[in-house]
Amino acid sequence: MSQYGKAEYWEERYTRDPEPFDWYQRFTGIKDLVQGCFTPESKLLNVGAGNSRLSEEMFDEGYQNITNIDISHVVTKAMQEKYKDKGPNFKYLHMDARAMEFEDGSFDGAIDKGTLDAILCGESSSSNAQKVIQEVHRVLGPKGVYFAISYGLPEHRLQYLEKPEYDWNVIVKQVHKPTISTSIAITNEDKDAPNVHYIYICTKGQQKGAKQ
């Protein structure tokens, strides 16, 4: 599934199939964890939003300050049209997560539902994954939270998230996969993973090793 790491694949996919599609989890599956990390006043970034309904469902729950970015022109334009009546703080922008066009400390939180996983399928995967994480860290405020939803086992993801240069504490939570799950193991590394998704909650300004 190396095509998941290519921008051209997503352009073609969203052109061919514009219907909403959610990887891994809907909001209901992660709601309690989201509410433990963010408030409705939080300024949030959805990294690699695609045409998922996650931000829409969060908006309906009161999280109405969400900036959604995606590398696909096609899906960004479609989502801008679909949600044009949601107000000025709910927006979709075409942007490469490896080089975000935001000031340092712009957000209280960043949500990633499968984007890091997709990048790790592509060429130069480790380098590109590190660029995304560096950018997420940069655009988060002093107490910002990176909330990453992944099929990847901790032994395959913490090596990217727990680097010394990141002043955040990482805790790992698990949520059960939905009965009908879109979380195919997109690389062989996790083909024997248990029937859960992993939530990596990276909190800046929190002592490393602290439990939450």
Side-chain angles (χ1 to χ4, degrees), residues 45-49 67-69 97 100 110-113 115 132 136 146:
L45 173 68
N46 187 348
V47 182
T67 297
N68 302 273
I69 65 170
M100 296 189 213
I111 297 177
D112 169 347
K113 187 155 72 82
T115 298
V132 171
V136 168
Y146 178 33

Side-chain angles (χ1 to χ4, degrees), residues 25 38 44 48 75 97 103 132 135 145 159 176 179 195 203:
Q25 296 280 334
F38 310 118
L44 301 177
V75 80
E103 298 292 330
V132 171
E135 280 293 270
V145 177
Q159 61 183 307
H176 287 288
T179 304
N195 193 36
T203 306

Side-chain angles (χ1 to χ4, degrees), residues 13-202:
R13 175 176 175 141
Y14 290 128
T15 300
R16 181 184 72 244
D17 186 6
E19 292 302 309
F21 186 86
D22 275 275
W23 294 93
Y24 303 173
Q25 296 280 334
R26 297 286 293 270
F27 179 57
T28 53
I30 57 172
K31 180 177 177 179
D32 290 346
L33 291 173
V34 168
Q35 290 177 331
C37 295
F38 310 118
T39 70
E41 292 72 39
S42 297
K43 188 176 181 182
L44 301 177
L45 173 68
N46 187 348
V47 182
N51 58 10
S52 163
R53 290 159 288 196
L54 176 64
S55 289
E56 175 187 346
E57 291 168 348
M58 290 183 64
F59 184 94
D60 292 341
E61 288 284 332
Y63 297 88
Q64 300 190 352
N65 192 334
I66 306 177
T67 297
N68 302 273
I69 65 170
D70 201 277
I71 201 168
S72 166
H73 285 281
V74 171
V75 80
T76 300
K77 184 176 180 180
M79 295 300 99
Q80 287 172 342
E81 178 63 25
K82 180 177 180 179
Y83 296 120
K84 61 186 178 183
D85 298 326
K86 290 288 188 187
N89 293 326
F90 189 87
K91 52 195 169 188
Y92 280 78
L93 303 173
H94 173 255
M95 198 174 296
D96 187 336
R98 296 169 297 179
M100 296 189 213
E101 301 160 30
F102 302 118
E103 298 292 330
D104 294 1
S106 294
F107 298 96
D108 301 311
I111 297 177
D112 169 347
K113 187 155 72 82
T115 298
L116 183 62
D117 288 355
I119 289 168
L120 285 169
C121 292
E123 297 175 359
S124 304
S125 58
S126 293
S127 173
N128 285 328
Q130 212 56 67
K131 288 177 183 177
V132 171
I133 296 168
Q134 288 169 352
E135 280 293 270
V136 168
H137 185 273
R138 180 184 67 79
V139 302
L140 287 175
K143 296 183 179 180
V145 177
Y146 178 33
F147 188 101
I149 305 151
S150 173
Y151 69 81
L153 296 163
E155 53 261 43
H156 299 306
R157 293 295 178 267
L158 292 177
Q159 61 183 307
Y160 297 103
L161 297 169
E162 288 189 329
K163 290 188 175 292
E165 60 263 36
Y166 302 139
D167 62 334
W168 56 30
N169 180 52
V170 183
I171 64 165
V172 184
K173 300 287 188 179
Q174 297 181 12
V175 294
H176 287 288
K177 292 178 181 177
T179 304
I180 301 174
S181 177
T182 56
S183 63
I184 56 171
I186 32 187
T187 70
N188 288 329
E189 69 174 26
D190 297 301
K191 65 179 184 295
D192 298 321
N195 193 36
V196 297
H197 292 128
Y198 296 93
I199 314 295
Y200 296 92
I201 301 174
C202 312

